[in-house]
Amino acid sequence: MIPISRPLLGPEEEAAVLAVLRSGKLAQGEEVERLEQGFAELCGVRHAVAVTSGTTALFLALLAHEIGPDDEVITTPFSFVATANSILMTGARPVFVDIDEDCFNLNVRQIEAAITPRTRAIMPVHLYGHPAEMDAIMVIARRNGLAVIEDAAQAVGARYRGRPTGNFSTACFSLYATKNITSGEGGMITTDDDAIAEKLRLLRNHGSRVRYYHECLGYNCRMTDLHAAIGRVQLGKCEAFNAQRIANAQVLNQMIAHPQVIKPQVRPGIHHVFHQYTVRILGDRDAAAQQLAAAGVGTAIFYPLTIPNQPVYRELGYQATTPVADRVSSEILALPVHPGLTPDEVHQIARAVNALQIEAPFVQAV
């Protein structure tokens, strides 16, 4: 079975971890600092702050912008649930705006209608590695006095009109095992704002900059040097990994020719890093996934429910009107695109997709 993801860890990562183990210095230290410096350089910003996960990165970023109870944050309904959960964790309320069906990202034309006196921030998601429309989002944010926090969990190395994700505002990345690069588990926050960076460093370390002196309520969200050692090596491979993902996606785009399979689109000026290669199945998506599995091709659904349709959000009373996201969530299917694929495997995936027998969707007569 060709897996949907396959982390690529080699002797360089092993040597880096072994060096940390032999040093006896396992907690946050020099390796974390080196990873932070590399991430800041990648994103073209002054600061990068390493934390325990992409979720804690979002949570601390919101806190650093002083977002909390009674505040609202505009975001997408079509993402991993951590995007909205991080907002709830602060006591604030996520407000969901529908998506564009071509790139699956926040529909910027609907943002301003969702702004209220309680709105404090916009949290766009660069879903699957395709950057959101950051120019328009930044204009809306400046016009309305709002913060912007990029959820770039899936978009390390992506670029919007030549600018890296993580370069526009405060941004949050994930280094989870299946991401384009990994530290095993971990997250990173990037910013050009000195004050925000200082708050983030306090918040991740129990509100302390001098040991046993605590200036504010903080948390234990420090990354270990063990994780950072893996991440630092992976960061050096980021460009090559992304280039291979893009090359694999290009072959799939060229070879897939099924009339009921809509291939992923890339908007002009976008450097899409294909964390996922996500197609839309016009018909029985689950049957298509079963046929692909029988052909030796692993798939995944990211995500089968929109966030406001998740049981926990239903229980909280959320009833967002997001028809595009609702429809897309019933159609999407991710195919393997990771850099561990061989050329033969990429061809096998495309052939299996072209051979799908998909029952046409039911269309009610008018």
Side-chain angles (χ1 to χ4, degrees), residues 75-79 81 84 94-97 305-322 325-326:
T75 192
T76 172
F78 192 57
S79 178
V81 73
V95 174
F96 298 106
V97 167
L305 292 176
T306 63
I307 296 173
N309 280 324
Q310 292 287 348
V312 61
Y313 281 82
R314 286 295 194 189
E315 290 179 10
L316 291 170
Y318 280 82
Q319 293 182 334
T321 303
T322 56
D326 291 342

Side-chain angles (χ1 to χ4, degrees), residues 136-156:
I137 290 169
M138 296 305 295
V139 167
I140 293 169
R142 285 192 293 267
R143 185 160 57 224
N144 292 278
L146 305 176
V148 174
I149 298 171
E150 299 172 64
D151 183 341
Q154 301 179 358
V156 60

Side-chain angles (χ1 to χ4, degrees), residues 7-24:
L8 295 182
L9 301 170
E12 302 91 347
E13 287 86 354
E14 292 175 8
V17 170
L18 186 58
V20 173
L21 290 173
R22 287 175 172 167
S23 75

Side-chain angles (χ1 to χ4, degrees), residues 25-340:
K25 300 176 181 178
L26 308 185
Q28 179 176 298
E30 293 181 1
E31 285 290 340
V32 171
E33 290 181 6
R34 293 171 69 185
L35 177 59
E36 290 175 332
Q37 291 168 2
F39 237 95
E41 291 173 4
L42 176 70
C43 297
V45 295
R46 288 196 297 272
H47 305 282
V49 180
V51 293
T52 51
S53 71
T55 304
T56 53
L58 291 167
F59 173 58
L60 296 188
L62 289 160
L63 292 182
H65 282 274
E66 299 182 352
I67 291 166
D70 298 324
D71 294 334
E72 294 178 349
V73 178
I74 294 172
T75 192
T76 172
F78 192 57
S79 178
F80 182 54
V81 73
T83 300
N85 282 359
S86 65
I87 300 168
L88 287 181
M89 287 160 61
T90 70
R93 178 179 176 83
V95 174
F96 298 106
V97 167
D98 210 354
I99 64 171
D100 286 321
E101 65 179 271
D102 64 331
C103 65
F104 311 122
N105 286 329
L106 202 59
N107 184 333
V108 296
R109 298 176 300 281
Q110 297 186 20
I111 291 176
E112 289 198 277
I115 295 173
T116 75
R118 291 184 174 183
T119 306
R120 293 288 310 283
I122 306 170
M123 184 183 284
V125 177
H126 306 308
L127 198 67
Y128 305 144
H130 188 299
E133 289 293 326
M134 290 308 299
D135 283 350
I137 290 169
M138 296 305 295
V139 167
I140 293 169
R142 285 192 293 267
R143 185 160 57 224
N144 292 278
L146 305 176
V148 174
I149 298 171
E150 299 172 64
D151 183 341
Q154 301 179 358
V156 60
R159 294 191 295 274
Y160 174 83
R161 301 189 186 279
R163 290 179 65 181
T165 54
N167 182 264
F168 293 84
S169 56
T170 303
C172 302
F173 295 85
S174 172
L175 297 173
Y176 183 64
T178 60
K179 295 298 190 289
N180 288 34
I181 61 170
T182 183
S183 61
E185 180 66 279
M188 190 70 69
I189 312 167
T190 58
T191 182
D192 256 335
D193 189 315
D194 297 343
I196 292 294
E198 186 62 22
K199 287 181 183 178
L200 290 167
R201 294 186 180 108
L202 284 170
L203 288 166
R204 75 172 173 185
N205 189 35
H206 293 294
S208 173
R209 73 184 85 202
V210 177
R211 195 173 189 184
Y212 302 131
Y213 290 84
H214 306 276
E215 303 174 29
C216 65
L217 176 63
Y219 306 85
N220 180 1
C221 296
R222 300 182 301 268
M223 180 183 284
T224 69
D225 264 17
L226 283 170
H227 288 95
I230 300 170
R232 178 181 56 78
V233 175
Q234 288 268 298
L235 187 63
K237 301 178 179 181
C238 182
E239 185 175 352
F241 281 173
N242 284 345
Q244 189 59 57
R245 286 177 178 272
I246 293 166
N248 291 342
Q250 289 173 341
V251 174
L252 292 174
N253 279 342
Q254 292 166 2
M255 291 189 64
I256 292 175
H258 197 294
Q260 290 169 256
V261 176
I262 299 178
K263 293 174 283 190
Q265 300 177 49
V266 181
R267 288 186 170 182
I270 295 297
H271 182 71
H272 189 343
V273 293
F274 288 96
H275 171 61
Q276 301 294 344
Y277 182 92
T278 302
V279 299
R280 292 167 54 202
I281 304 295
L282 303 184
D284 190 334
R285 187 258 313 277
D286 294 339
Q290 292 171 4
Q291 292 176 48
L292 289 170
V297 176
T299 62
I301 300 170
F302 306 110
Y303 302 91
L305 292 176
T306 63
I307 296 173
N309 280 324
Q310 292 287 348
V312 61
Y313 281 82
R314 286 295 194 189
E315 290 179 10
L316 291 170
Y318 280 82
Q319 293 182 334
T321 303
T322 56
V324 176
D326 291 342
R327 184 179 73 255
V328 165
S329 68
S330 70
E331 297 173 342
I332 48 95
L333 189 66
L335 306 174
V337 75
H338 57 82

